[in-house]
Amino acid sequence: MRFGNSLRWAAVVPIVLLAVAPARATEPLPTIVVLATGGTIAGAAATDVQAGYTSGQVGVDQLLAAVPQARKLAVLRGEQIANIGSQDMNDEVWFKLAQRVNELLAMPDVDGVVITHGTDTIEETSYFLNLVVRSKKPVVLTAAMRPSTALSADGPLNFFNAVAVAANKDAVGRGVLVVINDWIHGASSLTKTSTTAVQTFLSPLRGLVGTVAYGDAEFYRGAVGRNTVDSEFSLDGVTALPRVDIVMAHANMDGALIDAAAAAGARGIVVAGVGNGNMTKAALDALAAQARKGIVCVRSTRVATGRVGRNVEVDDDGLSLIASDDLNPQKARVLLRLALLKAHSLPELQRIFQEY
Ligand code: ASP
């Protein structure tokens, strides 16, 4: 065969193959609903290089319009649930969010939910949803450390990555996730560690669920701790959560703030203890006295990482106290508020702190 002929064949063969090859069905894009609550990701400043800004200035439509690339990953719909700095996060927004997420995920044509949120309390909201959402479909929270108007704003890529994770079938059944700065965290494990750095979230004890780079996700582990469809907690018929206060331990502490929490109507008190959930003798006496009156008292820690073990330096059995295991004070508070919706014995409450 002459060279000219082989060239002709080279041109014809692909055309013939194309004609006989069955048309490959293109998979429809998943549908992801974006629920916006505010935060720095929706924040704005007067200039692009200033520290001062206001959270919750940009609406969900503007947020979606700012990241058109995300529409290649999923069909997106947006809803505005709130527009607040997450320092103002409250039960009303939590109930609204939980109800809407459960409604949406029960719809067969919704594949996942992305929630935009502030970084200050994202660990609490995500953990709350981890306990009350009734679906294995992905629920992914995301946030930003720099407002939308900043030089090198981190929000757009965080949002893109969050949509990619929510649209990823491998994210199903891993519990509520938080995607920020290329890392995929589990709601029960992440914690904010820097007031200003873009790399602020760590998952100290349980480790990362995975990583995501420009939408390309890799998963390392499943959910740790009972969550979503395996959770025993539900908001069905619930209109309010009991008050639980956090009191921080320190050198020379007395029992005044513990007693003040009880006087303010707390049904539970979480002490952010020193070290392994320790506190002064005076504080421990005050805590044990409140426990004897029926207030559920949990020892957590103000230390950034490590578990609080039962009966280590404190006689939890003798004083009727609960050890928070690996939940930090803010997450211990969320779990206790849900646990207190039903009457539980102290051993049952301790079991809950070990399982979630
Ligand atoms: N104060 C802000 C908030 O939590 C901080 C942030 O989003 O980074 O809403």
Side-chain angles (χ1 to χ4, degrees):
M1 193 188 290
R2 280 183 297 134
F3 185 61
N5 264 348
S6 55
L7 264 186
R8 247 194 320 273
W9 274 110
V12 170
V13 168
I15 294 169
V16 173
L17 283 180
L18 269 180
V20 294
R24 201 197 290 162
T26 45
E27 272 210 34
L29 287 176
T31 296
I32 304 297
V33 181
V34 179
L35 303 179
T37 69
T40 299
I41 196 166
T47 76
D48 57 359
V49 285
Q50 69 179 59
Y53 68 96
T54 313
S55 279
Q57 297 297 295
V58 172
V60 68
D61 294 337
Q62 251 180 297
L63 224 131
L64 290 175
V67 196
Q69 300 86 338
R71 298 211 181 258
K72 295 202 174 117
L73 304 170
V75 175
L76 296 176
R77 289 204 318 258
E79 294 179 20
Q80 195 80 48
I81 298 290
N83 212 355
I84 55 175
S86 75
Q87 56 269 46
D88 278 325
M89 192 47 66
N90 55 63
D91 291 3
E92 195 189 328
V93 178
W94 275 3
F95 273 75
K96 215 167 144 185
L97 255 184
Q99 188 188 339
R100 192 63 187 135
V101 170
N102 277 323
E103 273 167 12
L104 287 166
L105 295 185
M107 297 176 186
D109 60 335
V110 173
D111 299 286
V113 167
V114 166
I115 300 168
T116 56
H117 198 284
T119 60
D120 287 355
T121 59
I122 199 169
E123 57 190 285
E124 288 156 77
T125 301
S126 58
Y127 187 57
F128 174 72
L129 294 174
N130 201 45
L131 299 175
V132 298
V133 163
R134 287 273 162 275
S135 174
K136 286 187 165 191
K137 291 180 187 174
V139 176
V140 180
L141 285 85
T142 193
M145 287 299 284
R146 295 179 180 144
S148 65
T149 47
L151 195 63
S152 293
D154 51 334
L157 185 54
N158 286 343
F159 178 75
F160 180 80
N161 280 335
V163 171
V165 171
N168 189 321
K169 288 197 173 79
D170 277 352
V172 171
R174 292 182 197 266
V176 172
L177 301 172
V178 177
V179 168
I180 186 158
N181 209 28
D182 294 358
W183 284 2
I184 308 170
H185 299 267
S188 63
S189 57
L190 93 155
T191 191
K192 187 172 182 179
T193 64
S194 165
T195 53
T196 54
V198 169
Q199 175 46 19
T200 181
F201 285 99
L202 296 176
S203 283
L205 285 176
R206 298 180 175 190
L208 290 181
V209 172
T211 57
V212 52
Y214 299 101
D216 186 14
E218 179 155 4
F219 291 94
Y220 305 147
R221 69 160 173 89
V224 182
R226 287 174 64 179
N227 65 85
T228 59
V229 291
D230 297 323
S231 166
E232 67 201 88
F233 305 109
S234 157
L235 293 181
D236 292 346
V238 176
T239 51
L241 295 174
R243 178 174 178 138
V244 171
D245 288 335
I246 299 173
V247 179
M248 189 157 106
H250 50 83
N252 208 40
M253 182 187 189
D254 64 19
L257 288 183
I258 289 169
D259 294 342
R267 292 198 31 223
I269 298 172
V270 176
V271 175
V274 293
N276 197 342
N278 294 318
M279 64 205 81
T280 58
K281 168 118 185 25
L284 200 57
D285 287 346
L287 199 65
Q290 296 303 343
R292 279 195 297 278
K293 289 186 203 157
I295 293 178
V296 177
C297 297
V298 176
R299 293 186 306 109
S300 181
T301 179
R302 66 180 201 180
V303 179
T305 177
R307 297 171 62 191
V308 171
R310 203 171 163 77
N311 299 322
V312 178
E313 287 184 74
V314 174
D315 176 15
D316 291 307
D317 290 347
L319 301 177
S320 301
L321 305 177
I322 304 292
S324 74
D325 201 56
D326 60 1
L327 287 183
N328 66 19
Q330 52 273 35
K331 287 185 204 181
R333 175 178 176 269
V334 172
L335 181 60
L336 186 54
R337 295 186 80 197
L338 288 167
L340 285 172
L341 288 173
K342 285 194 191 144
H344 288 290
S345 64
L346 287 180
E348 256 185 306
L349 285 163
Q350 187 62 68
R351 189 258 315 153
I352 285 169
F353 272 85
Q354 268 143 3
E355 287 182 359
Y356 285 85

